[in-house]
Amino acid sequence: MWTCLRHVDAPVETRTGRRQNQKQCWPRTSDKNFKTVSVNAWVEESEGEPGLVLGLRGEPYWLLPGKSGGIRNFALRAECTHLGCIAPWNEVQQKFVCPCHGSQYDPDGTVLRGPAPHSLALAHVEVVDKGNARVRLSAWTEEDFRDGAAPWWS
């Protein structure tokens, strides 16, 4: 989903070697009401629990609360890696539990119990538009910090 939060002048080099500013557009991260996610509003509404948002390509992701407030610098794709059901956060068990076939994931998205074959996919979380503290998700292409492996989802 490529909706503009705001335009930013970003310097780019042209074919002739001259640098000029070009308008750039940030991808939009939306909440359940399709409103742009801002850090402060999300922290207040989430009450310290993971919150579902629409992120990369409109796919569902869990934003995660920071250890001491704010948000974590990564998000988890909300779809179970078994058959793609949404794996909701179970507040009592403090883990993500898929209602379809019982797969379970820890708070970092690592698979604890199958039939899911993989941990939940990751995305980077960045704060853009510092004045409004808007959230942007971007693709995670480097090593998975949870197990040191190459990302299976890229």
Side-chain angles (χ1 to χ4, degrees):
M1 188 184 299
W2 287 92
T3 305
C4 287
L5 295 179
R6 70 181 180 113
H7 286 334
V8 196
D9 287 330
V12 294
E13 193 167 313
T14 64
R15 283 191 212 168
T16 61
R18 289 186 22 218
R19 294 186 56 82
Q20 67 181 36
N21 285 338
Q22 179 181 8
K23 296 287 186 191
Q24 297 285 323
C25 188
W26 298 117
R28 179 178 170 184
T29 302
S30 304
D31 65 12
K32 63 185 174 191
N33 298 315
F34 301 102
K35 293 184 180 177
T36 301
V37 176
S38 74
V39 174
N40 296 336
W42 184 84
V43 168
E44 188 176 311
E45 290 174 16
S46 72
E47 298 176 343
E49 299 293 330
L52 198 59
V53 298
L54 295 176
L56 303 173
R57 298 179 301 278
E59 296 166 337
Y61 279 84
W62 291 108
L63 285 183
L64 307 170
K67 302 286 185 194
S68 57
I71 60 175
R72 308 242 354 229
N73 64 352
F74 67 94
L76 302 171
R77 188 157 171 191
E79 295 172 341
C80 178
T81 60
H82 177 230
L83 293 177
C85 299
I86 300 298
W89 176 251
N90 185 308
E91 188 175 344
V92 174
Q93 295 180 21
Q94 293 292 295
K95 57 186 165 186
F96 298 97
V97 180
C98 181
C100 298
H101 298 104
S103 294
Q104 298 179 7
Y105 304 88
D106 75 7
D108 287 339
T110 302
V111 68
L112 298 171
R113 182 177 136 202
H118 303 289
S119 295
L120 297 174
L122 297 168
H124 290 285
V125 173
E126 300 172 75
V127 177
V128 296
D129 186 16
K130 298 292 184 189
N132 293 314
R134 303 214 188 263
V135 175
R136 176 177 72 169
L137 299 186
S138 60
W140 189 290
T141 57
E142 59 272 13
E143 177 180 283
D144 185 336
F145 67 88
R146 299 166 297 189
D147 63 8
W152 62 265
W153 57 89
S154 56

